[in-house]
Amino acid sequence: MRSLLDRLVNPLHLLIALACTWLLASSPWIGMYQALPEEAGFSNLSHVALGLALLPLGTVYFAACAVGGRWRLYFPWVAGQFEDIGRDVAGVFKGERPGSEGGGLFATIEGLLLLALLATALSGAFWFFSQNTDGAVAWRGHHVIAARALAGLLLLHVVAVSLHLVDLLRD
């Protein structure tokens, strides 16, 4: 099972990155509040389809990132390991770039981004399946908060990857 997950990590990462980029970029044109419009256009339909697809894709990606103790790389705080994160944050305030090794600030951002992806996909699914009910608007609110967290963490992830690439080019 682990070898299958290892082979899926890179293609899943690319697929999830492209889907999230589309979902975030197209979100201003989404016309849903309490329910999907009866005359739902391409933006609405693609948002729902890709969003629902991200739930199983994100879950498999999460499993691939967490299997075999790898969860400690992305979620060191769950095990009470804050030293590397603290060292990286202190280094940022001194003008130093954090390392890209697991367990530090950049890996923690990746882990939080993955959790935000799952929260966004799950809240979107609950929103979709609770259409025309009292709970739909509440799930929309949760979804918007999760999506904003996803967008912010995605931006931090892109910055972290860019800084890592700068380090690779310098070496």
Side-chain angles (χ1 to χ4, degrees), residues 9-10 12-18 20-21 24 61 65 73-74 97-102 104-117 148-166:
V9 168
N10 289 334
L12 275 175
H13 185 270
L14 177 62
L15 189 60
I16 289 169
L18 291 172
C20 284
T21 301
L24 289 169
Y61 190 69
C65 291
L73 298 175
Y74 300 103
R97 261 193 304 274
S100 60
E101 294 80 31
L105 181 61
F106 286 172
T108 300
I109 290 170
E110 288 179 74
L112 292 173
L113 175 60
L114 185 50
L115 291 177
L117 167 71
R148 287 179 179 163
L150 175 73
L153 288 163
L154 183 59
L155 178 63
L156 288 174
H157 178 59
V158 168
V159 168
V161 169
S162 299
L163 291 173
H164 179 65
L165 290 174
V166 167

Side-chain angles (χ1 to χ4, degrees), residues 11-27 30 32 36 41-59 116-129 143 150:
L12 275 175
H13 185 270
L14 177 62
L15 189 60
I16 289 169
L18 291 172
C20 284
T21 301
W22 169 256
L23 290 168
L24 289 169
S26 66
S27 65
I30 301 304
M32 295 182 276
L36 189 63
F42 177 75
S43 292
N44 287 319
L45 293 175
S46 67
H47 192 89
V48 169
L50 278 176
L52 289 172
L54 277 177
L55 194 51
L57 292 174
T59 302
L117 167 71
L118 292 173
T120 305
L122 192 60
S123 61
F126 279 122
W127 178 21
F128 178 76
F129 290 115
H143 183 66
L150 175 73

Side-chain angles (χ1 to χ4, degrees), residues 66-147:
V67 70
R70 291 183 191 165
W71 64 271
R72 291 182 184 274
L73 298 175
Y74 300 103
F75 310 104
W77 46 272
V78 172
Q81 299 171 345
F82 296 97
E83 299 82 26
D84 291 338
I85 300 168
R87 186 173 34 254
D88 283 351
V89 170
V92 167
F93 287 109
K94 295 176 187 173
E96 300 169 0
R97 261 193 304 274
S100 60
E101 294 80 31
L105 181 61
F106 286 172
T108 300
I109 290 170
E110 288 179 74
L112 292 173
L113 175 60
L114 185 50
L115 291 177
L117 167 71
L118 292 173
T120 305
L122 192 60
S123 61
F126 279 122
W127 178 21
F128 178 76
F129 290 115
S130 67
Q131 290 183 72
N132 295 313
T133 68
D134 294 337
V137 176
W139 280 113
R140 178 193 181 277
H142 299 313
H143 183 66
V144 168
I145 291 168

